[in-house]
Amino acid sequence: MKLFTPILLFAGVSTSLGFLSSDQEAALDTLITTVVQIPNRIPGLGVSIVKQLSEEGTYSVFTKGYGESDLEYGTPIFNNTRFLIASISKSFTATITCKFLHDSFPQHGEAVLDIPIVQLAPNYQFVLSDRFRTEKTTFRDLLAHRTCLNSYGLAVTAGAFDTKEERVFRYRYIEEKCGFRSRFEYSNNMIILAGDVISHLSGIPFDDMVRNFFQLLGMDDSLIVDAVTDYEALDRMSRGYYLMPDGILRKMNATHYNGNSGAASGGVISTLLDMAKYLEFHLNEGIINGNQVVPKAIMQWLRSPSNFVEFTGWRLSDSGESSDSSSGNFAYGLGLDLGVYRGWQRISHDGDLSPFTAKMSLFPAKKLGVFSFSNGPGPLPLQSGHEFLGNQVFDLIEGNLEDMQFGEILSSPKPGKAKVYQYRSVPKTSKMYQSELAGLYGHPYEGVFVVTYDESNTTHPLTIQYGKRGTGTLSETEMANIYKIEWFGEILSLFYAYNGGQPLSDMMLDFNTPDTAVFIDQDGAIEYRRNATLDSFPTIPWDPTSCGPVKERQSINDVILH
């Protein structure tokens, strides 16, 4: 694997189609060069800016690339460089879903979003973890992250699901994290589920629905990740880079992108020019090239608050007390964050499929849209990442950039320390022979992993294989029957990418409970049972007479959904 030393110089490659003055572009260059070099170590970054400059609705576009798309070959970022937009894909899913529901159930109007899915799609076999959620969940619940089901787990990163169909089927086993509709609980799974139900209703694969939408918007260079494309060889595809704790950049193996579950949650590949068209589509309330692709009323569904969140504002300075000095989100619409910046409405969404990260920011009252992406090294800090950049572009366009002070906000981050695992419970059993730990361990949603014992390997007799990518060895700790996982290979690169080059926290397996392996890391614990394959779990995971869990396995024919 080729190593790359830190980049020191960033030459902007302008592919502008309009409209910034030379002074504004110079200010933008200074801003982005500072952001990518000092705090974030970004290999390459691209920006699209869309602004309506006339009352007739004519939009001008500016795109520019900084740094490199491919460090090995010195390839710059151009306006047709392809990259993953990650969770910004959710806004496409929400738009397509709302348009389909409007067209298919016109008699209901916006209320169609609040009709239970089991009524709109009675033949889909829609099942979630309890009877109440199953019978009451709506498309608004899915698209606005209101189901409050647990989004934590390692299965997707490890590549534990053989097919998208298996992954979607397992959603019925995801456990509750908080009360239904009680708060915002971000979930990739529920967005994918929404796309799957719409596909069932339409009879069209959801990825094809997204491709058709691309055509309507003229996004001719945009694609959807699949399981077979060689993204190392794809024309104009940016490489992704992650940062190691020693400061070295490494290129991500592009086969990781093949494991993404289609377009619905995070699988859209686009370009700066195509994303400029998408910004215009939103700013012009569903119109592109003079065509009303999506009715204006449907666009309003997307940007109306459906789930209020704790205000995520942060003060830009300590001078003044007006709301103009704060930025943040206060609610979630449908596939879109709703917030404010300097007192102006901001509609946005982040994307993080590390090492690729991105953000789309729309300022409707100003008819201004900003999009930026980076091809590494992973999540960027709020104070100097894509949100900061989008807000600063707003200031640049509005003539406020000279008021901003970079100072400490752009200082180099200090190296982090790995979080130390601490286990405080009393072991329930005496020390077990390592050979006894070998076997298959499964979880209804998180899939299965296999622990293998090799007596001939005197250094690491125990190994773990979790899905396609989760390969590691198990090392004994001072605590009986608790082993530290030493990952290696492909999954390690993903951990470093999502961790932004910081030292990794410990991940452990606890075998103290008989026939059980408990996976524990800094985020929590998940219990896997020996020999628990998918067919060992009840098809309907709740008792038909209550909201509690089923005690014995049932077939789908044993349960009738009312």
Side-chain angles (χ1 to χ4, degrees), residues 84 225-227 229 231-232 237-241 251-262 267 269 353-356 375 469 494:
L84 288 158
V225 293
D226 57 43
T229 299
Y231 292 104
E232 289 283 355
M237 183 70 190
S238 175
R239 306 296 179 242
Y241 297 89
K251 184 172 71 173
M252 178 67 71
N253 185 334
T255 60
H256 290 318
Y257 313 143
N258 298 112
N260 193 280
S261 296
I269 295 173
L353 198 57
S354 289
F356 287 97
N375 60 351
R469 294 185 287 269
L494 293 174

Coordinates of all heavy atoms in Angstrom, one line a residue, residues 84 225-227 229 231-232 237-241 251-262 267 269 353-356 375 469 494:
L84 N -18.0 10.3 -3.7 CA -19.2 9.9 -2.9 C -19.7 11.1 -2.2 O -19.0 11.8 -1.5 CB -18.8 8.8 -1.9 CG -18.6 7.4 -2.6 CD1 -17.7 6.6 -1.7 CD2 -19.9 6.7 -2.9
V225 N -23.4 3.6 -6.4 CA -22.4 2.5 -6.1 C -23.2 1.1 -6.2 O -24.3 1.0 -5.8 CB -21.8 2.6 -4.7 CG1 -20.9 3.8 -4.6 CG2 -22.8 2.7 -3.6
D226 N -22.4 0.2 -6.7 CA -23.0 -1.2 -6.8 C -22.0 -2.2 -6.3 O -20.9 -1.8 -5.8 CB -23.5 -1.5 -8.2 CG -22.3 -1.3 -9.2 OD1 -21.2 -1.8 -8.9 OD2 -22.6 -0.7 -10.3
A227 N -22.3 -3.5 -6.4 CA -21.5 -4.5 -5.8 C -20.4 -5.0 -6.8 O -19.5 -5.8 -6.4 CB -22.3 -5.7 -5.4
T229 N -18.8 -2.8 -9.7 CA -18.0 -1.9 -10.4 C -16.6 -1.7 -9.7 O -16.5 -1.7 -8.5 CB -18.6 -0.5 -10.4 OG1 -19.9 -0.5 -11.1 CG2 -17.7 0.6 -11.1
Y231 N -14.1 0.5 -8.7 CA -14.0 2.0 -8.5 C -12.6 2.5 -8.5 O -12.3 3.7 -8.6 CB -14.7 2.4 -7.2 CG -16.2 2.2 -7.3 CD1 -16.8 1.1 -6.7 CD2 -16.9 3.0 -8.1 CE1 -18.2 0.9 -6.9 CE2 -18.3 2.8 -8.3 CZ -18.9 1.7 -7.6 OH -20.3 1.5 -7.8
E232 N -11.6 1.6 -8.5 CA -10.2 2.0 -8.8 C -10.0 2.4 -10.3 O -9.2 3.2 -10.6 CB -9.2 0.8 -8.4 CG -9.1 0.6 -7.0 CD -8.2 1.6 -6.3 OE1 -7.6 2.5 -7.0 OE2 -8.1 1.5 -5.0
M237 N -12.9 8.9 -11.2 CA -13.3 8.7 -9.8 C -12.1 9.1 -8.9 O -11.0 8.8 -9.0 CB -13.5 7.2 -9.6 CG -14.0 6.9 -8.1 SD -15.7 7.5 -7.8 CE -15.8 7.2 -6.0
S238 N -12.5 10.0 -7.9 CA -11.5 10.4 -6.9 C -11.1 9.3 -6.0 O -11.9 8.4 -5.7 CB -12.1 11.6 -6.1 OG -11.2 11.9 -5.0
R239 N -9.8 9.2 -5.6 CA -9.4 8.3 -4.6 C -9.7 8.9 -3.2 O -9.7 10.1 -3.0 CB -7.9 8.0 -4.8 CG -7.5 7.6 -6.2 CD -8.1 6.2 -6.5 NE -7.7 5.8 -7.9 CZ -8.6 5.6 -8.9 NH1 -9.9 5.9 -8.7 NH2 -8.2 5.3 -10.1
G240 N -9.9 8.0 -2.3 CA -10.1 8.4 -0.9 C -8.9 8.1 -0.1 O -8.2 7.1 -0.3
Y241 N -8.6 9.0 0.9 CA -7.3 8.8 1.7 C -7.7 9.0 3.2 O -8.5 9.8 3.6 CB -6.3 9.9 1.3 CG -5.8 9.7 -0.1 CD1 -6.5 10.3 -1.1 CD2 -4.7 8.9 -0.4 CE1 -6.1 10.2 -2.5 CE2 -4.3 8.7 -1.7 CZ -5.0 9.4 -2.7 OH -4.6 9.2 -4.0
K251 N -4.0 5.4 0.9 CA -5.2 5.3 0.0 C -6.1 4.2 0.4 O -5.7 3.1 0.7 CB -4.7 5.1 -1.4 CG -5.8 5.1 -2.5 CD -5.3 5.1 -3.9 CE -4.7 3.7 -4.2 NZ -4.3 3.6 -5.6
M252 N -7.4 4.6 0.5 CA -8.4 3.6 0.8 C -8.6 2.6 -0.3 O -8.6 3.0 -1.5 CB -9.7 4.3 1.1 CG -10.9 3.4 1.4 SD -10.7 2.5 3.0 CE -10.9 3.9 4.1
N253 N -8.8 1.3 0.0 CA -9.1 0.3 -1.0 C -10.5 0.6 -1.5 O -11.5 0.5 -0.7 CB -9.0 -1.1 -0.3 CG -9.2 -2.2 -1.4 OD1 -9.8 -2.0 -2.4 ND2 -8.6 -3.4 -1.0
A254 N -10.6 0.8 -2.8 CA -11.9 1.2 -3.3 C -12.9 0.1 -3.3 O -14.1 0.4 -3.6 CB -11.7 1.8 -4.8
T255 N -12.5 -1.1 -3.1 CA -13.5 -2.2 -3.0 C -14.5 -2.0 -1.8 O -15.6 -2.6 -1.8 CB -12.9 -3.6 -2.9 OG1 -12.0 -3.6 -1.7 CG2 -12.0 -3.8 -4.1
H256 N -14.1 -1.2 -0.9 CA -15.0 -0.9 0.3 C -16.3 -0.3 -0.2 O -17.4 -0.5 0.4 CB -14.3 0.1 1.2 CG -13.2 -0.5 2.0 ND1 -13.3 -1.8 2.6 CD2 -12.0 0.0 2.4 CE1 -12.1 -2.0 3.2 NE2 -11.4 -1.0 3.1
Y257 N -16.3 0.5 -1.3 CA -17.5 1.2 -1.8 C -18.5 0.2 -2.3 O -19.7 0.5 -2.3 CB -17.1 2.2 -2.8 CG -15.9 3.1 -2.4 CD1 -15.0 3.5 -3.4 CD2 -15.7 3.5 -1.1 CE1 -13.9 4.3 -3.0 CE2 -14.6 4.3 -0.7 CZ -13.7 4.7 -1.7 OH -12.7 5.5 -1.3
N258 N -18.0 -1.0 -2.7 CA -18.9 -2.0 -3.3 C -19.9 -2.5 -2.2 O -21.0 -3.0 -2.6 CB -18.2 -3.2 -3.9 CG -17.3 -2.8 -5.0 OD1 -16.1 -2.8 -4.9 ND2 -17.9 -2.4 -6.1
G259 N -19.6 -2.3 -1.0 CA -20.5 -2.9 0.1 C -21.6 -1.9 0.5 O -22.4 -2.3 1.3
N260 N -21.7 -0.7 -0.1 CA -22.7 0.2 0.3 C -24.1 -0.3 -0.3 O -24.1 -0.9 -1.4 CB -22.4 1.6 -0.3 CG -23.3 2.6 0.3 OD1 -24.5 2.8 -0.2 ND2 -22.8 3.4 1.2
S261 N -25.1 -0.1 0.5 CA -26.4 -0.7 0.2 C -27.2 0.2 -0.8 O -28.3 0.7 -0.4 CB -27.2 -1.0 1.4 OG -26.6 -2.0 2.2
G262 N -26.7 0.5 -1.9 CA -27.5 1.3 -2.9 C -27.6 2.7 -2.6 O -26.9 3.3 -1.7
G267 N -25.3 6.1 -1.1 CA -24.6 5.5 -2.3 C -24.5 6.3 -3.5 O -24.2 5.7 -4.6
I269 N -22.9 8.7 -6.2 CA -21.6 9.3 -6.7 C -21.9 10.4 -7.6 O -22.8 10.3 -8.5 CB -20.8 8.2 -7.4 CG1 -20.4 7.1 -6.5 CG2 -19.6 8.8 -8.1 CD1 -19.7 5.9 -7.2
L353 N -19.1 9.3 4.4 CA -18.8 7.9 4.1 C -17.3 7.8 4.0 O -16.7 7.8 3.0 CB -19.4 7.4 2.8 CG -19.6 5.9 2.6 CD1 -20.3 5.3 3.7 CD2 -20.2 5.6 1.2
S354 N -16.7 8.0 5.2 CA -15.2 8.2 5.3 C -14.4 7.2 4.5 O -14.8 6.0 4.5 CB -14.8 8.1 6.8 OG -15.3 9.3 7.5
P355 N -13.4 7.7 3.8 CA -12.8 9.0 4.0 C -13.5 10.2 3.3 O -13.1 11.3 3.5 CB -11.4 8.9 3.5 CG -11.5 7.8 2.4 CD -12.6 6.9 2.9
F356 N -14.5 9.9 2.5 CA -15.2 11.0 1.8 C -16.2 11.7 2.8 O -17.0 11.0 3.5 CB -16.0 10.5 0.6 CG -15.2 10.1 -0.6 CD1 -14.8 8.8 -0.8 CD2 -14.7 11.0 -1.5 CE1 -14.0 8.4 -1.9 CE2 -13.9 10.7 -2.6 CZ -13.6 9.4 -2.8
N375 N -11.9 14.3 -0.1 CA -11.6 12.9 -0.3 C -10.7 12.4 0.8 O -10.0 11.4 0.7 CB -10.9 12.7 -1.6 CG -9.6 13.5 -1.8 OD1 -9.3 14.3 -1.0 ND2 -8.9 13.2 -2.9
R469 N -14.9 -8.2 5.9 CA -13.7 -7.4 6.2 C -13.2 -7.5 7.6 O -12.1 -7.0 7.9 CB -14.1 -5.9 5.9 CG -14.4 -5.6 4.5 CD -14.7 -4.2 4.2 NE -15.9 -3.7 4.7 CZ -17.1 -3.7 4.1 NH1 -17.1 -4.1 2.8 NH2 -18.2 -3.3 4.6
L494 N -10.9 1.3 7.6 CA -12.2 2.0 7.8 C -12.2 2.6 9.2 O -12.7 3.7 9.4 CB -13.3 1.0 7.6 CG -13.5 0.5 6.2 CD1 -14.6 -0.6 6.2 CD2 -13.9 1.6 5.3

